[in-house]
Amino acid sequence: MKRSVRNGLVVAAAVALAAAVVPIVTSTANAAGNLSATFTVDQDWGSGWGATYKITNGTSSAINGWTLEFDLPAGGQITSFWDADVVRTGQHYVAKNKSWAPTLAAGASISWGMNGSGAKPPINCKINGVVCSGGTPTSNPPSSNPPSSKPPSSNPPTSNPPTSNPPSGSKKVVGYFAEWGVYARNYHAKNIDTSGSASKLTHILYAFGNTTGGRCSIGDSFADYEKAYTAAESVDGVADTWDQPLRGSFNQLKKLKAKYPHLKVIWSFGGWTWSGGFTQAAANPAAFADSCYSLVNDPRWAGVFDGIDIDWEYPNACGLQCDTSGPNAFKNVISALRSRFGSSKLVTAAITADGTNGGKIDATDYAGAIGNLDWLMPMTYDYFGSFSAQGPTAPHSPLNCYAGIPTAGFCAETAINKLKSKGIPANKLLLGIGFYGRGWTGVTQATPGGTATGAAPGTYEQGNEDYKVLKNTCPATGTIGGTAYAKCGSNWWSYDTPSTITGKMSYAKSQSLGGAFFWELSGDTSNGELITAVSNGLK
């Protein structure tokens, strides 16, 4: 499938777990001095749970540092944590205050959180070396929020409290945030908040990291962690300073996660332009995985990323470059990543949606990799476009293969069916949506199938335009294959609208898919018309 260059297209996506639960609270007060620790189970979704430990200084003077020790019953474990430094030895855990919060003032409290699995609550509690007193579990009102997804943090809490409730339901809503969008597009992490998108997303894919020399590497250091944000541009209204250790989009995403604790961020590597290094990575998957783990978990941006996404275009097939690593290469790379990142981090992949016989899906053992992936994102868009300059015109993201489609099998339904037939569980497949259109010029025929003379003009790329522009400059006049199209003058465009997205989400639910993902956030309107249709359509 044709994909745009680096400032073009890719999507992939993320975890939403939800169940109505009854939180458990266990209060354990220090016997000497009223320093207390309160353990609260906020969510329980069967296979795991989310909880908070609140440390309160009930004394009349400041406490310089705290250390909380406890055991989890056999079978219990903490799988991730944030806002504390935690060390595990068997079933014994030692949590300490972060370096940015060494002092707990008289009467003050600080909370740190965790996700876990198995038995709970903690036992054998000590705080600052003193045995905690008893405590009896009590019930809080039921909660329908999914588990907290906030990862470890190295920044002090912002002045903004957590905002809004996380998305309800079990479906994932995953959106790409393009690294280069902070330049000409002037799209920043704050826009994810102000558009209302943050409360609807379950996961953000940060695109892209590079794969130079078969290693994970930085794509754009200025955009990633060097760019200074003013107070007006910043998620929390606080300007960056010249000497702070982390700036750029990474720091803004960390602030966004503090404001929306349900959000997870995944670093995506590769894409159309930067997939060349995967061939070398396939020759030594363990070395590749080591490099990725070190970069994703670099202490400079601790707490930003919850996992890694691989956007290899395309294993054992041709994209911008051709790969001949064989059908097992992708499976081997994913296996190495899972071994290195472990079970507590997300490992996902955006893959081809070419479901034709002998096509790109058939070229790789995607089913063999699925056991080590949290989900797969077939890129069910960019099937057709002005990369075929003379046409025929056709929608770039058809859900269904209609009569007269230029290439038989080039539609989302065919790709999904083929992946499922290979044994990939439906709930590990996400449906791809484009928040943009593809268009031709020199077109005389209003309906699909007409000839053209080249690419229609686009703001940033010929033949490509954001939905937020097209909805006004070339409103949709018809639908085909489950998506929309329009002819304006001699230009012909195809793109998804809130209405066609609603139809696609209905299909995703009927097929028991895991949710949807989209490329990319800046293509939506300032009030998030398209992501609203995705989110509402999956409920």
Side-chain angles (χ1 to χ4, degrees), residues 169-201:
S170 61
K171 301 298 185 183
K172 301 167 185 68
V173 179
V174 183
Y176 276 98
F177 178 74
E179 174 186 69
W180 55 90
V182 301
Y183 297 119
R185 288 178 171 272
N186 196 31
Y187 191 90
H188 308 277
K190 181 175 181 177
N191 297 99
I192 305 175
D193 181 12
T194 58
S195 65
S197 300
S199 63
K200 300 176 179 70
L201 287 162

Side-chain angles (χ1 to χ4, degrees), residues 171 431 503-516 538:
K171 301 298 185 183
L431 186 67
K504 289 185 174 183
M505 295 307 98
S506 178
Y507 165 81
K509 289 195 296 183
S510 74
Q511 297 298 307
S512 300
L513 302 187
L538 288 173

Side-chain angles (χ1 to χ4, degrees), residues 364-447:
T364 296
D365 185 9
Y366 289 112
I370 196 62
N372 286 314
L373 287 163
D374 289 279
W375 64 80
L376 275 174
M377 296 172 284
M379 297 176 284
T380 48
Y381 41 78
D382 281 1
Y383 282 107
F384 306 103
S386 61
F387 33 82
S388 298
Q390 278 69 54
T393 58
H396 79 84
S397 59
L399 174 63
N400 314 112
C401 286
Y402 56 91
I405 194 167
T407 303
F410 263 30
C411 64
E413 187 176 43
T414 299
I416 295 296
N417 287 340
K418 170 157 281 196
L419 290 164
K420 289 166 67 176
S421 74
K422 291 179 178 290
I424 296 173
N427 65 0
K428 281 197 171 186
L429 292 171
L430 274 59
L431 186 67
I433 305 292
F435 280 13
Y436 62 94
R438 286 201 171 272
W440 289 263
T441 194
V443 180
T444 58
Q445 180 176 314
T447 55

Side-chain angles (χ1 to χ4, degrees), residues 283-294:
N284 192 342
F288 173 71
D290 282 341
S291 73
C292 298
Y293 183 86
S294 296

